[in-house]
Amino acid sequence: MNIQEIARLADVSVSTVSKVMNGKDKDISKKTKDKVLKIIEENNYIPYARYRVKEGLINRFIGLVICKENPHYSQMVTSIESALRVQGFFPVVLTAEKEQEEIDNAVYELQKRGVSGILVDSSRAVSQYLENCKLVYLTDTSSFETKQKNTFYFHKYEAGRLSAIELLNAGHQKISVILREAEKIILDGVEAVYGEQNLPRQFITSYIGEDLNGIRQNGLISCVSDSSTAVICGDMEIVGCVLEYAEQIGIKVPEDFSVICVKDHEMLEYLAGGITAVGYPIRQMTVDAVDHLLQMVIEEKDSEVTRKFFPEVIKRNSIQDIGKRKDGHKIVIVGSMNIDDNIEGVRIPVNGETIIAKNILTLPGGKGANQAVGVGRLGGQAYMIGRVGKDADGRRLYKSLTDNGVHTDGVEFDDQADSGKAFVHIDRDGENAIVVYRGANENLDEAQLKRHENIFRAAKYCLLSSEISREAIMVVKKSCRENGTEIILKPSGLEEVGEDVLFGIDYLVPNEREMIRIYAGEDLTMEEKAEKLLQIGVKNVIVTLGKRGAYLKNKDHALYFPSAPFTPIDTTGGADSFISAMAVSLSEGKDLLYSIIYAIYAAGITITRYGVQNAMPDKKSIRIYMEDIEKQYAEIKKGEEEHIKCKKTKI
Ligand code: RIB
């Protein structure tokens, strides 16, 4: 549009238009002057904006300075454009780098062209602007300059908070976060929630990557393959990488692994049945900012308004509520917590012998703590009741539980006694012999158990091991009976296992040596002893047989289960792993035969690794053997009778 065209449209001469523009219009009738000004306004003739302002007409162009790398660029531009158009205004968009100078220049350019107002995408105030041009800032942080009079913002950090809360509410504790460098503030939000809920920071595995390549090469292995149950992804592309990787390693979303994206995108609706995401309040924020700016422009007045907007969770189908899934299937573990001195030699020393250790290693152990960690790592709900000394060993034992998702309300620190200790001799075949000093474990008494009675009330299974006092064992038995909690007992460390301990036990899980102690001196085979145990009220006897698998005796079955194909390096804790896996499987509603096979594989994995707690499998490592487990189970179900290999084993 130029002056000639305006003259033509108004049906006047060019000099008349010029006179109106320059205010030299005394000899021009009001009617003609109005006609010229109306055409100027309708056509948004920018060069003459100042005349239109002088005449009380409004320039209907509004500037938008937006950073090139703004991740919400297109959504912001579209939303601002439509909000302006509804009110008869039009956007003039200039993009800028994030540097202040670039933003200042862009604002200055727009002011020179006479726009009535400008929306500025920045957290810093522009250095100079003209009086008659109104400014409103838009930003995604709460740390903007206080000089910015009119600022509409949301805080990206809130997206991290919201995602963490969403996952914690669904029962996830160990989570991963994968972000790009520019979004790392989101991790602060996640960590803040963990701080508020007193959860250890170590439950969060994070990877901040420069680009998708880095994320693919390094981030996925650490974040999708560790023992976390859910991941927070920075954007839709990261979600894509996670889904691809999960498929490659056989992890199902959301059954095995939950996913939330901190930035919504329409494509997320179509990925893996719908990915839950955090929606930023871009539309609401831009519409309100436009309204506010136009109000300032139309009423020609300044204001000082700071308005915060909040992201919200858009629920789809990618978060598994593991809290709900496990309701009523809590597992309480009562037993020892020891620091293990693992002494590796060619053989285990016998009377009068001194041998040289090849290696020694000090690690958290104890049957109770091992079983609790085993349950936690397999995704079960583990509640530990145990006692440690008020010493560095005690703190280490406690931390190992929290690191593995075990609830530790029932763990107490003893003022008087040191933490329990175990001296574990391991020979070159991985076989072991253990000497336990009970220490604080011995002081786990009725009073402590009563303080945590509520845990028994909520638990379906109790894993009980006997490196604690006989008095404590009897109190646990009573609490379980009163609360309908089924006991899985490992009868180790007892000089003599009396019928008072064994009576009414739901699952008794001894090894062969422990079976020898039971009814010692009576000339009975293992099967006969198992039968005798059933007669005194043990419901299921499950003997772990090391390289030969396991044996089950109950009212319906007398079955031998083969071992899993693993070569042992260190058999310590194999039985703890067996018990925790069996309990998790039962708590998930699987039957006993399946749970024993599952437990054999879990124990098999543990003995191929050195140590105990760190050697326990998580769900992902056992999943590799799922086909074998299912196959064996199908075989056992098919021919239960054929499978009974009742070769009487004399012990
Ligand atoms: O079952 C193995 C455990 O037995 C060791 O960790 C040791 O502490 C003893 O309790």
Side-chain angles (χ1 to χ4, degrees):
M1 173 77 48
N2 56 32
I3 194 163
Q4 282 82 7
E5 282 167 322
I6 292 170
R8 192 164 44 77
L9 286 173
D11 199 17
V12 294
S13 67
V14 170
S15 79
T16 304
V17 176
S18 173
K19 279 180 187 167
V20 173
M21 294 296 136
N22 291 298
K24 294 175 182 157
D25 49 12
K26 272 187 245 127
D27 57 338
I28 296 173
S29 73
K30 180 161 182 323
K31 197 172 159 215
T32 306
K33 188 176 143 190
D34 285 351
K35 192 157 79 173
V36 170
L37 288 172
K38 190 161 178 276
I39 285 163
I40 288 169
E41 188 194 5
E42 277 171 5
N43 291 282
N44 289 293
Y45 188 44
I46 292 183
Y48 293 99
R50 64 196 166 96
Y51 300 109
R52 277 179 270 145
V53 170
K54 177 173 154 265
E55 288 304 324
L57 296 170
I58 295 163
N59 178 322
R60 291 189 171 266
F61 281 99
I62 296 293
L64 167 62
V65 175
I66 185 163
C67 287
K68 283 180 186 153
E69 67 218 44
N70 187 322
H72 311 285
Y73 182 94
S74 64
Q75 203 191 345
M76 278 175 84
V77 173
T78 348
S79 161
I80 288 169
E81 183 185 347
S82 59
L84 284 171
R85 275 176 173 277
V86 170
Q87 303 204 45
F89 285 78
F90 301 90
V92 180
V93 183
L94 284 190
T95 53
E97 298 293 345
K98 235 186 150 89
E99 284 73 48
Q100 189 59 31
E101 203 188 331
E102 279 245 2
I103 294 170
D104 283 352
N105 287 343
V107 170
Y108 184 65
E109 281 293 317
L110 287 167
Q111 290 180 117
K112 267 199 327 200
R113 278 161 178 74
V115 295
S116 306
I118 307 177
L119 294 156
V120 189
D121 163 28
S122 176
S123 58
R124 275 159 298 171
V126 296
S127 55
Q128 47 158 320
Y129 64 94
L130 308 172
E131 275 291 297
N132 59 345
C133 183
K134 312 292 180 211
L135 291 191
V136 167
Y137 293 89
L138 297 164
T139 184
D140 61 7
T141 169
S142 58
S143 40
F144 47 83
E145 287 192 334
T146 44
K147 301 193 267 184
Q148 290 187 189
K149 280 201 208 146
N150 294 287
T151 305
F152 287 60
Y153 75 102
F154 66 92
H155 198 2
K156 247 195 232 172
Y157 162 98
E158 302 283 349
R161 283 186 56 85
L162 273 184
S163 310
I165 291 169
E166 194 67 19
L167 291 176
L168 289 173
N169 285 347
H172 298 270
Q173 287 202 321
K174 296 195 89 187
I175 64 166
S176 299
V177 184
I178 310 180
L179 301 169
R180 294 183 206 240
E181 189 71 35
E183 315 270 298
K184 65 175 181 233
I185 183 93
I186 287 166
L187 182 58
D188 295 351
V190 176
E191 290 182 341
V193 173
Y194 272 65
E196 286 155 20
Q197 302 203 9
N198 282 328
L199 289 167
R201 163 71 185 80
Q202 299 90 289
F203 278 15
I204 309 168
T205 307
S206 60
Y207 182 83
I208 313 279
E210 287 275 312
D211 53 28
L212 277 189
N213 272 344
I215 289 172
R216 271 206 190 94
Q217 276 160 24
N218 309 311
L220 297 175
I221 296 171
S222 57
C223 292
V224 184
S225 305
D226 89 327
S227 57
S228 52
T229 57
V231 64
I232 298 176
C233 300
D235 55 43
M236 193 258 295
E237 278 128 344
I238 298 177
V239 171
C241 295
V242 165
L243 293 180
E244 205 180 287
Y245 183 67
E247 200 182 333
Q248 267 170 32
I249 60 170
I251 291 176
K252 289 197 198 108
V253 174
E255 292 86 339
D256 309 323
F257 199 59
S258 295
V259 177
I260 183 167
C261 183
V262 281
K263 199 173 114 211
D264 193 31
H265 188 284
E266 56 195 22
M267 277 303 292
L268 290 173
E269 231 178 297
Y270 306 102
L271 293 180
I275 301 290
T276 295
V278 175
Y280 288 117
I282 305 293
R283 217 192 79 79
Q284 196 53 52
M285 179 180 77
T286 48
V287 167
D288 283 16
V290 164
D291 279 354
H292 184 71
L293 179 63
L294 294 187
Q295 201 181 338
M296 290 201 299
V297 166
I298 291 161
E299 292 174 9
E300 285 193 33
K301 59 175 191 200
D302 270 328
S303 72
E304 268 190 50
V305 169
T306 302
R307 206 169 291 163
K308 182 172 180 179
F309 294 80
F310 293 91
E312 57 183 23
V313 174
I314 300 158
K315 289 192 197 257
R316 297 193 183 104
N317 305 312
S318 59
I319 296 182
Q320 174 85 34
D321 193 332
I322 55 177
K324 229 187 236 161
R325 196 182 68 199
K326 288 182 192 152
D327 260 0
H329 298 290
K330 293 180 174 151
I331 299 168
V332 54
I333 303 100
V334 190
S336 61
M337 296 179 67
N338 302 327
I339 282 290
D340 291 356
D341 279 335
N342 294 289
I343 307 153
E344 203 189 336
V346 278
R347 63 177 175 279
I348 294 160
V350 293
N351 279 355
E353 192 182 25
T354 302
I355 60 164
I356 304 295
K358 269 189 2 203
N359 196 14
I360 56 167
L361 197 58
T362 303
L363 291 169
K367 291 200 162 48
N370 294 344
Q371 291 167 12
V373 166
V375 170
R377 285 172 82 104
L378 285 173
Q381 289 203 64
Y383 289 76
M384 178 76 201
I385 300 184
R387 202 161 183 89
V388 290
K390 238 185 200 166
D391 46 31
D393 285 350
R395 287 191 293 278
R396 186 170 177 194
L397 286 161
Y398 187 90
K399 185 170 176 301
S400 180
L401 294 183
T402 56
D403 281 354
N404 287 288
V406 177
H407 297 264
T408 48
D409 292 359
V411 177
E412 294 188 3
F413 288 84
D414 197 302
D415 285 330
Q416 314 296 323
D418 296 338
S419 294
K421 255 196 169 287
F423 301 90
V424 184
H425 290 273
I426 303 156
D427 70 14
R428 71 177 138 220
D429 297 324
E431 294 300 334
N432 67 76
I434 305 174
V435 180
V436 168
Y437 164 70
R438 287 190 190 163
N441 293 303
E442 212 161 3
N443 296 347
L444 169 57
D445 58 4
E446 179 163 8
Q448 180 176 350
L449 289 162
K450 288 290 159 210
R451 276 194 287 281
H452 304 289
E453 179 76 25
N454 60 322
I455 302 181
F456 290 98
R457 245 171 259 142
K460 173 126 196 235
Y461 295 100
C462 171
L463 310 189
L464 181 60
S465 49
S466 44
E467 288 169 7
I468 52 173
S469 70
R470 189 176 279 262
E471 176 217 357
I473 292 174
M474 298 315 282
V475 176
V476 171
K477 277 192 69 182
K478 187 162 172 282
S479 288
C480 288
R481 201 175 46 246
E482 285 167 4
N483 291 292
T485 309
E486 294 178 25
I487 299 179
I488 302 177
L489 175 70
K490 171 77 181 156
S492 61
L494 285 175
E495 277 310 313
E496 186 192 306
V497 196
E499 290 196 350
D500 55 339
V501 172
L502 299 172
F503 174 76
I505 293 295
D506 300 277
Y507 303 87
L508 181 71
V509 192
N511 59 23
E512 279 179 286
R513 285 191 173 280
E514 286 153 358
M515 269 306 252
I516 292 172
R517 285 244 170 87
I518 300 171
Y519 302 126
E522 295 187 31
D523 187 21
L524 297 171
T525 63
M526 184 183 74
E527 292 85 349
E528 285 160 351
K529 282 191 180 182
E531 179 59 45
K532 198 164 172 191
L533 286 165
L534 294 193
Q535 281 160 21
I536 63 149
V538 177
K539 295 186 189 108
N540 300 279
V541 180
I542 300 148
V543 187
T544 52
L545 299 169
K547 284 178 202 141
R548 287 180 295 116
Y551 171 71
L552 161 71
K553 176 83 181 167
N554 63 16
K555 69 177 175 30
D556 304 317
H557 302 282
L559 280 179
Y560 276 91
F561 294 76
S563 63
F566 296 100
T567 308
I569 287 179
D570 172 8
T571 56
T572 321
D576 299 331
S577 181
F578 180 98
I579 288 170
S580 47
M582 186 178 90
V584 170
S585 176
L586 288 171
S587 79
E588 288 174 352
K590 300 285 188 330
D591 72 19
L592 181 59
L593 302 187
Y594 181 94
S595 301
I596 290 175
I597 302 170
Y598 184 77
I600 288 174
Y601 273 82
I605 294 170
T606 303
I607 62 170
T608 59
R609 302 167 177 176
Y610 203 69
V612 183
Q613 297 185 6
N614 55 308
M616 301 267 190
D618 58 17
K619 263 212 147 71
K620 286 171 205 146
S621 31
I622 204 163
R623 189 169 302 111
I624 301 167
Y625 302 97
M626 236 34 180
E627 240 174 65
D628 297 355
I629 294 172
E630 302 282 353
K631 210 166 124 204
Q632 253 194 53
Y633 177 63
E635 270 169 27
I636 285 203
K637 289 298 278 181
K638 202 166 127 216
E640 268 176 31
E641 288 312 312
E642 297 150 42
H643 224 87
I644 301 171
K645 294 174 191 149
C646 284
K647 290 180 243 115
K648 303 277 180 197
T649 315
K650 195 87 180 161
I651 54 172

